[in-house]
Every structure is written in structure tokens, then in C-alpha cells.
Amino acid sequence: MAEIRVPELAESITEGTISTWFKQVGDSVEKGENIVELETDKVNVEVISEEAGVVTELKAAEGDTVEVGSVIAIVEAGETQKATNDASQQETSAPEEQSESKEEVKSEEKTEAADKSSERIVATPSARRYARENGIDLSDVNSKDPRGLIRSHDVKNTQSAPAQKSEAPKQTASNPEKPIIREKMSRRRQTIAKKLLEVSNNTAMLTTFNEVDMTNVMELRKRKKDKFQEDHDGTRLGFMSFFTKAVVAALKKYPAVNAEIDGDDLILKQFYDIGVAVSTEEGLVVPVVRDCDKKNFAEIEGSIYDLAVKARDKKLSLDDMMGGSFTITNGGVFGSLMSTPIINGTQAAILGMHSIVTRPVAIDKERMENRPMMYIALSYDHRIIDGKEAVGFLKTIKELIESPEDLLLES
């Protein structure tokens, strides 16, 4: 017999959520085969079976929170077998007591006929118990699970619906009940919400803005992109490498922007690991490009591309996400003209890039020209960074992007 346990995930992660069971009770599993996917605060982790055999027990249901080290499934040596009725019940149950039939006999709230009817309904033990305790007929409960599995929150939603109606104002033709969809946030969305609120509450965040004339860097990119792609095995020359290199140069000039607070200490980081925000279906993730001061443009572009692909394919590891010293986010890819980005974790600042828009610009007192312009924003922790430093940092990036030859000299 082999116990499938929640593996060690990372120093700061103590629990995860069962995202998907790849195997059910009665299914065969090979040694090293994935059996379950866990969703953590940062990435999804697939857990393998260390032994070949048959899944005989699942101790947690999809959506349950499980702690590191806890047993979530049992695999026993043997051949594939059809799940019995008891195993089928075990497959769809949460890790709570399995003595449902005894509890149903003791229940004074349902008739024997109702008990027999409810036994044919697929529900977790906690859902059955909650229904009995509150006089709810499971046949009246709607499940959002594609398999029809009823969980306790489905029963609670059924119970709360009449109460909400009784407390609501009397509905009239001019005040009809409005349709809504209520769904639980994913663990990652909950974590994003929690972390953003923590940053808002625990930092003195301020944002300063500037604008960049993208004419020169766009012309340079246009001249060099084909040769660049040819010389670097298909790697495309984008704007992110220019901004990443500009950020590194600015961080060297203004080291407080590359710092963080630890208690009463200020930690000034002597490395340049730049996080690049990537949007995925499950929310924003920030994989880190390591040692950007030591990488050339092609290496930075290649690293960003690889990390973006891994993020969208849900293949990022925890190491890919840890330890960044500064973050760049590009809302311009979605059409954002201007925003105030929120600092990432314990970092001191974040750079926001935005859409490139052709606007009339005064060249001198006599001339106006249409130029490709981008607003850039620096959100920073005012406890660490003074306004003068923040403005100087952003001005340095502006000057380097507008004079890309100087940026090459900084590399």
C-alpha cells in the first residue's frame, strides 16, 4: 500500500487546493504516473504515485484545501477493478466520516422513503449531514459539479436562497429579481486579492509618471529586427529587452529602488532579477528573469518568451516565481493608456508600461510633430524611496529609451 501525500511545495507554502483528480477509486495507476493536480498560491503542481496499483481511496475532493504532508489518497498493489457501490461513494466523498448509512437511520428529519431516495443522489458526507440537520431535501439541491456531485456549499446555497428572498423587499413588476451567478474564487485569485490588499495596507505607495518618445527605439528595432532574429535562432527583438536593460541601468543609479524593508533594516539588493508580469486565464503571474545585468538583449528576450509560454501552459515552477528584486508590467498589450500599478510583494517599486499612441508633440517653439508616445509609471514605496529618487529613476529610463545607443553602452 502506498499513501499519496501532499509534497513539500516551498518554504512559504503550507497548503494547496485539490484542483483535478486524474484517477478515481478503482482506476489503475503506474509508478510515476500523475494522480492529482494541486493548485497553490503561485503555481499548479502535479503529484505522482510512487507505486503501481489500484486507487482504493480518495481522502479529499476537488476543491478541498489540504496541508503539506497530509495523506490524500491510497494506492494498493493489484489489478484494475470495477469500483463497488461503496468505493463509488468513497470516490465522491470529502475526507470526513464515511458512516453515512448509520447517520441516515438515526436522522429524525427524513422518512425512510426519503432516505432511500437520497442514497441514490451522489453527495459528500458533509453535504448529506448538513442537509439532514437543516431539513433540506437533497433532490431540491442543484450541483455545479459536471458529474452531479453535491457538496456542502451547494446545500448551503439552497438553504440561503429562501432566507434572502424573505429579507429582500417585496418584488414588483418594476423591481424584478435580478439573475446572478455565485462562484467560489480560485485559490490563486484569493491569494492575488489577499496579497494586493496586504501591499496596499503595508506600504506607503505613491505613483509618478513620465512619457517616452518611442521614435528612436522603434526605428532601431525596425532596422535590426530581421538580422537580430536571424542571428539568434528566431528570437524576436521586442521592446521588453530595451526596457529591462533601461531598468537595470536605472537601478544601479538609484539603488534604493532595488531594496526592501525587513523589520527595521533596509536590504539593498546587489542583483538584478527582474519580474515580468504575465497574464494567464487564472490571473496575473510574475515569473523572474535572472541576472538581467549579465544577459544580452537576445538572452533577455528568449527568457521572457520561455517564461510566458510556461505561464500560459501552467508549467511554471516555484523557482521561476521566487526572488525577484523589481517588476515590470505592460498594460499596453491590452490597450491601457495609463495606470497606477501595484507593487509586487515586498519589492520597493514596479514599472508600468502602456500603449504606444501617436500624438502631436512640440519639438521646439516652432515645430509640432506626430510622435509615437508611451506613458510610463513608477509606483514606489515612499518609506524607502523619496520623490526625488523616483522621478530621477523614471527620467533615466525615459532618456535611455529615447537614446537607445546609450542603452547599448550600458549593457
Side-chain angles (χ1 to χ4, degrees):
M1 181 185 76
E3 295 179 332
I4 307 299
R5 294 179 179 271
V6 179
E8 292 289 337
L9 300 169
E11 185 177 352
S12 61
I13 299 178
T14 60
E15 62 182 21
T17 299
I18 301 291
S19 173
T20 305
W21 281 110
F22 300 129
K23 298 292 182 179
Q24 302 297 331
V25 170
D27 289 349
S28 64
V29 60
E30 299 295 330
K31 183 177 180 179
E33 188 176 6
N34 291 329
I35 190 169
V36 65
E37 182 181 58
L38 297 175
E39 182 182 0
T40 73
D41 296 350
K42 298 180 181 296
V43 295
N44 286 17
V45 178
E46 292 181 346
V47 181
I48 64 172
S49 174
E50 298 292 344
E51 184 175 309
V54 176
V55 179
T56 60
E57 185 177 357
L58 300 182
K59 292 179 173 289
E62 291 179 0
D64 287 350
T65 297
V66 289
E67 295 184 352
V68 169
S70 63
V71 178
I72 54 176
I74 302 295
V75 173
E76 294 188 0
E79 298 179 356
T80 306
Q81 56 184 332
K82 250 188 172 180
T84 63
N85 290 338
D86 289 341
S88 178
Q89 181 63 46
Q90 193 177 60
E91 170 190 356
T92 58
S93 64
E96 302 186 24
E97 59 268 27
Q98 302 294 318
S99 56
E100 296 171 24
S101 58
K102 294 180 180 179
E103 293 177 356
E104 289 172 355
V105 171
K106 295 177 182 179
S107 172
E108 298 177 0
E109 296 177 65
K110 289 182 177 285
T111 65
E112 181 178 354
D115 281 341
K116 290 181 179 178
S117 175
S118 68
E119 287 175 358
R120 292 194 294 269
I121 297 173
V122 184
T124 64
S126 58
R128 291 180 181 277
R129 185 173 62 253
Y130 190 89
R132 287 193 298 271
E133 292 173 352
N134 292 275
I136 297 173
D137 189 343
L138 286 176
S139 63
D140 294 332
V141 178
N142 293 322
S143 170
K144 294 182 179 179
D145 190 283
R147 299 172 296 172
L149 172 64
I150 295 175
R151 296 191 172 96
S152 57
H153 65 264
D154 296 318
V155 184
K156 292 176 183 178
N157 288 342
T158 299
Q159 181 192 33
S160 62
Q164 291 171 353
K165 288 181 180 179
S166 62
E167 295 171 3
K170 184 176 180 180
Q171 301 294 331
T172 65
S174 61
N175 185 27
E177 184 176 355
K178 302 296 184 182
I180 64 169
I181 297 176
R182 182 186 296 274
E183 59 183 27
K184 187 176 181 180
M185 288 193 295
S186 67
R187 166 172 284 274
R188 191 161 302 154
R189 179 55 61 185
Q190 292 179 52
T191 301
I192 290 172
K194 179 182 176 182
K195 295 298 185 183
L196 292 180
L197 189 60
E198 285 179 356
V199 169
S200 179
N201 291 335
N202 297 329
T203 63
M205 195 170 72
L206 191 62
T207 305
T208 186
F209 300 91
N210 211 319
E211 61 178 355
V212 178
D213 185 341
M214 299 290 290
T215 300
N216 292 335
V217 75
M218 290 177 72
E219 289 180 351
L220 175 61
R221 178 174 176 268
K222 184 178 180 179
R223 292 197 313 270
K224 300 292 185 180
K225 65 178 182 179
D226 292 339
K227 185 68 163 57
F228 184 92
Q229 191 166 351
E230 180 183 336
D231 291 344
H232 300 288
D233 299 323
T235 300
R236 299 179 62 184
L237 179 61
F239 294 123
M240 285 302 300
S241 53
F242 287 94
F243 276 91
T244 300
K245 279 297 188 181
V247 160
V248 170
L251 289 174
K252 290 179 178 179
K253 188 174 181 180
Y254 297 94
V257 185
N258 204 34
E260 69 175 69
I261 290 177
D262 182 19
D264 293 329
D265 295 332
L266 184 64
I267 300 175
L268 296 169
K269 300 169 185 175
Q270 301 297 298
F271 57 90
Y272 304 92
D273 293 350
I274 308 301
V276 179
V278 178
S279 178
T280 70
E281 291 181 357
E282 296 181 346
L284 199 69
V285 294
V286 187
V288 178
V289 181
R290 309 289 176 185
D291 300 319
C292 289
D293 56 322
K294 301 173 184 177
K295 285 183 166 67
N296 60 31
F297 280 69
E299 290 169 332
I300 290 174
E301 290 288 355
S303 296
I304 292 173
Y305 176 81
D306 291 342
L307 290 169
V309 170
K310 289 173 70 175
R312 288 165 188 146
D313 291 344
K314 301 180 182 179
K315 299 298 183 182
L316 284 173
S317 68
L318 291 171
D319 287 341
D320 291 329
M321 310 276 286
M322 305 294 285
S325 63
F326 184 89
T327 296
I328 303 173
T329 181
N330 185 4
V333 296
F334 305 110
S336 173
L337 183 63
M338 184 178 291
S339 67
T340 56
I342 298 178
I343 297 170
N344 182 26
T346 60
Q347 295 174 11
I350 181 172
L351 176 71
M353 298 165 56
H354 300 94
S355 295
I356 301 173
V357 178
T358 301
R359 297 198 302 270
V361 175
I363 304 302
D364 53 38
K365 291 183 179 180
E366 305 297 331
R367 293 182 299 149
M368 295 281 290
E369 288 186 10
N370 289 331
R371 293 290 183 94
M373 305 297 294
M374 175 194 288
Y375 289 117
I376 55 176
L378 181 75
S379 291
Y380 61 99
D381 190 343
H382 210 348
R383 299 175 304 163
I384 303 174
I385 305 166
D386 292 333
K388 180 181 179 181
E389 291 175 299
V391 171
F393 180 90
L394 211 55
K395 188 168 179 285
T396 298
I397 291 176
K398 169 185 170 66
E399 291 169 347
L400 288 171
I401 296 297
E402 290 183 345
S403 300
E405 299 84 1
D406 295 338
L407 188 58
L408 294 174
L409 293 174
E410 290 284 345
S411 300

